[in-house]
Amino acid sequence: MTHSTPRHRELNLYRQYFALVAAGTKTIEVRVKYPHLAGLAADDTIRFRIKGTEETCDVRVKRVTEYPDFEALLDGEGPANIDPTASREQQLANIRTIYGPEKEALGALAIEIGLPAL
């Protein structure tokens, strides 16, 4: 689904992933296909926040791609784009620690992000 006016969203992010996003080395954010993310599209802005802090980082959405599960997402996007500091196997374990099987069954979203141009 496309829309004409870019939207702004705020999402929480663990500190370790926040640092990678802020450095520009994490270019794919992984999320479960929750209903509140329906309609997320290129040119939207996401403000990532470390939960419980005032630390934020704004990114621009470049694209959103749906996958049936996390394994397909890692294979399709490349683990280095999701977390350049961890192996594919470690990333899959980490993602599945955050999202249980009932969440993964909803589907997975690969959100390609980029830091805004200064």
Side-chain angles (χ1 to χ4, degrees):
M1 177 179 194
T2 61
H3 58 278
S4 58
T5 305
R7 293 181 253 186
H8 302 276
R9 304 193 185 231
E10 187 166 310
L11 300 173
N12 289 318
L13 200 58
Y14 288 108
R15 184 173 295 281
Q16 70 194 50
Y17 302 120
F18 180 92
L20 295 171
V21 168
T25 57
K26 177 178 174 55
T27 59
I28 301 291
E29 172 60 9
V30 175
R31 293 287 164 145
V32 166
K33 189 180 166 192
Y34 288 125
H36 76 272
L37 294 176
L40 184 65
D43 294 325
D44 285 353
T45 299
I46 298 174
R47 173 166 285 166
F48 286 116
R49 177 180 303 277
I50 299 173
K51 191 173 185 174
T53 76
E54 295 301 314
E55 292 179 72
T56 63
C57 178
D58 291 351
V59 297
R60 185 179 64 79
V61 175
K62 294 182 174 182
R63 82 178 151 82
V64 180
T65 305
E66 296 181 21
Y67 290 93
D69 56 38
F70 299 132
E71 288 199 53
L73 187 150
L74 284 164
D75 291 342
E77 299 296 331
N81 296 314
I82 298 162
D83 182 350
T85 68
S87 69
R88 181 192 184 282
E89 295 74 26
Q90 186 59 53
Q91 288 182 53
L92 186 58
N94 291 345
I95 294 167
R96 287 185 168 155
T97 297
I98 296 168
Y99 300 114
E102 71 287 350
K103 303 290 187 193
E104 185 173 0
L106 297 173
L109 294 177
I111 305 167
E112 184 178 1
I113 55 174
L115 296 172
L118 298 178

